[in-house]
Amino acid sequence: MAAKTIYIAGLGLIGGSLALGIKRGHPDYRVLGYNRSDKSREIALERGIVDEATSDFAAFAPLADVIILCVPIKQTMELIEVLAGLDLKQNVIITDAGSTKLDIVRMAEIHLSPEKVQFVGSHPMAGSHKSGAIAADVNLFENAYYIFTPTALSDSGTIAELKDILSGLHARFIEIDAEEHDRVTSQISHFPHILASSLMEQAAHYADDHEMTRHFAAGGFRDMTRIAESEPGMWTSILLTNRQSVLERISDFKDRLDQVAAYIEQGDELAIWDYFNFGRQARKDMEIHKRGGVDSFYELFVDVPDEEDVILHILELLRGTSLVNIRINEENREDITGILQISFKTAKDLDYAYNKISKETDYPVFTK
């Protein structure tokens, strides 16, 4: 396809990583960026993430063949209204990166003209414990699900064109109805965040009277509550734009808790065994990436590309250190990137590994 001008609104982790991936797949494309923060714009320009950047969203929109909205959900819907009043290129493609889709799609279908604009809802299911333009990573979406939700303003040709534009991301593209997307993600993404935060709230209050709760909480509890550290503003917007599906999941979960409580009250050993066995088998059937729940206070995270022998090379660098655990987070790379997570027994080994990998490779390395 002919060289295009891509306009990315929001130069944080997602927007910056999208820009890098587009440039990798189409080095001849012109990539423009919008961000209100001076610092993010400066970093994006210094790193070559974008060719030009502005703090005035309307300034670059008329120049674009493709506009990608990588801002919070509420701001995405506000920018759709702004775009409706601008003189855009004929048949410009507009898409977004929001974690909920139905409200955004409805907003686009109400305000954007089908004679002038093509709109596709999008949800790249990747993220990180890092944020901002400084964290942008060309490999962020590698092998991650990248979901498209068709609209009344799009057709198969629109999505095919987007797949070509985004080919440098090396993502796994999939199409799904916007309403079904929100139903599915309410179960496997949105409700789990509520559950993780509820567990942390419960444990924090319980620890007021039972101090050792703070010391014993590790392993399985750590893994179940990791996502409670997610950014509150983002998750507030997600819940409020998917409220019905989320409320249904909460109600359903309450019923399931009541049922297992009844089993315990009744001393129904067989029912309790069946309860745990069903959960175990269901997890196996879902083919969720298995990982050990090993306790460690010294953890290293390495962003690695999906290439042969990468992990072997890193492990060779760590000869002589005492590893507790190693795993990849996670198979579909939702919430955090496909990060190699390595746990050590001592702070000394952690420091050695951080310095060694940073020196011998160009992979981003982080501690937490």
Side-chain angles (χ1 to χ4, degrees):
M1 294 183 178
K4 298 180 181 297
T5 297
I6 313 297
Y7 186 27
I8 297 179
L11 298 175
L13 172 71
I14 300 298
S17 299
L18 280 173
L20 290 173
I22 291 170
K23 281 176 168 284
R24 176 166 65 181
H26 299 279
D28 57 328
Y29 281 12
R30 182 185 180 204
V31 179
L32 309 177
Y34 157 77
N35 210 89
R36 288 182 293 193
S37 162
D38 292 342
K39 184 176 181 180
S40 289
R41 293 198 309 276
E42 291 168 3
I43 292 171
L45 289 169
E46 288 171 2
R47 291 189 57 192
I49 293 172
V50 295
D51 300 306
E52 296 180 59
T54 182
S55 60
D56 178 8
F57 174 71
F60 286 165
L63 306 177
D65 298 295
V66 179
I67 299 172
I68 307 177
L69 306 176
C70 301
V71 292
I73 295 170
K74 182 179 179 181
Q75 190 181 356
T76 293
M77 293 193 282
E78 291 171 350
L79 292 184
I80 286 173
E81 290 191 76
V82 173
L83 289 170
L86 298 178
D87 184 19
L88 306 176
K89 282 188 177 182
Q90 185 66 32
N91 285 325
V92 59
I93 295 177
I94 302 174
T95 189
D96 74 301
S99 296
T100 59
K101 295 271 60 79
L102 189 57
D103 280 8
I104 291 173
V105 164
R106 284 175 174 169
M107 179 67 71
E109 291 178 341
I110 290 170
H111 291 281
L112 299 177
S113 168
E115 288 78 29
K116 298 179 180 179
V117 169
Q118 303 175 69
F119 183 89
V120 177
S122 298
H123 179 194
M125 294 188 74
S128 175
H129 55 289
K130 309 176 293 296
S131 62
I134 192 67
D137 179 5
V138 71
N139 295 311
L140 181 67
F141 305 103
E142 193 164 356
N143 284 335
Y145 282 119
Y146 200 109
I147 299 173
F148 295 117
T149 58
T151 74
L153 303 169
S154 67
D155 55 34
S156 59
T158 311
I159 293 177
E161 190 169 351
L162 274 174
K163 288 179 180 179
D164 176 77
I165 291 165
L166 300 171
S167 59
L169 303 182
H170 302 164
R172 292 187 285 176
F173 299 119
I174 189 169
E175 298 175 35
I176 188 173
D177 173 76
E179 190 169 6
E180 181 65 8
H181 166 277
D182 288 359
R183 288 195 188 104
V184 171
T185 53
S186 73
Q187 175 64 65
I188 52 85
S189 178
H190 307 164
F191 175 69
H193 276 79
I194 294 172
L195 187 57
S197 291
S198 296
L199 283 170
M200 286 309 311
E201 181 185 35
Q202 182 188 50
H205 287 299
Y206 198 67
D208 289 341
D209 296 321
H210 305 278
E211 171 62 24
M212 293 308 292
T213 300
R214 305 182 194 278
H215 303 285
F216 291 165
F221 186 85
R222 177 198 63 196
D223 289 346
M224 290 179 68
T225 57
R226 173 184 56 80
I227 55 177
E229 295 184 21
S230 299
E231 203 280 312
M234 178 184 75
W235 282 99
T236 300
S237 295
I238 287 173
L239 297 189
L240 292 180
T241 53
N242 198 20
R243 64 181 71 190
Q244 190 57 46
S245 291
V246 170
L247 287 171
E248 289 174 359
R249 293 300 85 209
I250 292 173
S251 177
D252 180 84
F253 198 77
K254 286 179 180 177
D255 292 342
R256 295 178 188 279
L257 286 180
D258 288 342
Q259 184 62 71
V260 74
Y263 295 154
I264 297 169
E265 287 176 353
Q266 297 159 10
D268 192 334
E269 183 176 349
L270 179 59
I272 295 171
W273 187 93
D274 285 341
Y275 171 81
F276 283 113
N277 188 57
F278 180 87
R280 179 177 64 172
Q281 190 59 51
R283 192 175 195 277
K284 289 180 179 179
D285 292 343
M286 287 185 74
E287 299 182 355
I288 298 172
H289 180 64
K290 307 303 184 296
R291 59 193 191 188
V294 181
D295 299 341
S296 174
F297 298 103
Y298 307 103
E299 294 184 324
L300 187 75
F301 301 86
V302 187
D303 287 5
V304 292
D306 188 12
E307 297 174 0
E308 187 175 356
D309 294 336
V310 167
I311 295 176
L312 180 62
H313 174 55
I314 291 175
L315 293 180
E316 285 288 339
L317 296 175
L318 301 183
R319 282 183 178 275
T321 60
S322 182
L323 300 184
V324 175
N325 192 32
I326 180 169
R327 68 193 187 196
I328 296 289
N329 298 322
E330 332 193 339
E331 187 172 19
N332 71 354
R333 298 193 177 189
E334 185 183 6
D335 301 311
I336 54 179
T337 66
I339 290 175
L340 178 64
Q341 180 177 342
I342 309 172
S343 303
F344 299 89
K345 286 186 177 180
T346 68
K348 180 180 179 181
D349 281 342
L350 174 66
D351 291 339
Y352 173 85
Y354 179 89
N355 293 326
K356 186 70 172 179
I357 297 172
S358 298
K359 180 180 179 181
E360 299 291 336
T361 77
D362 58 358
Y363 309 140
V365 185
F366 304 89
T367 59
K368 186 176 181 181

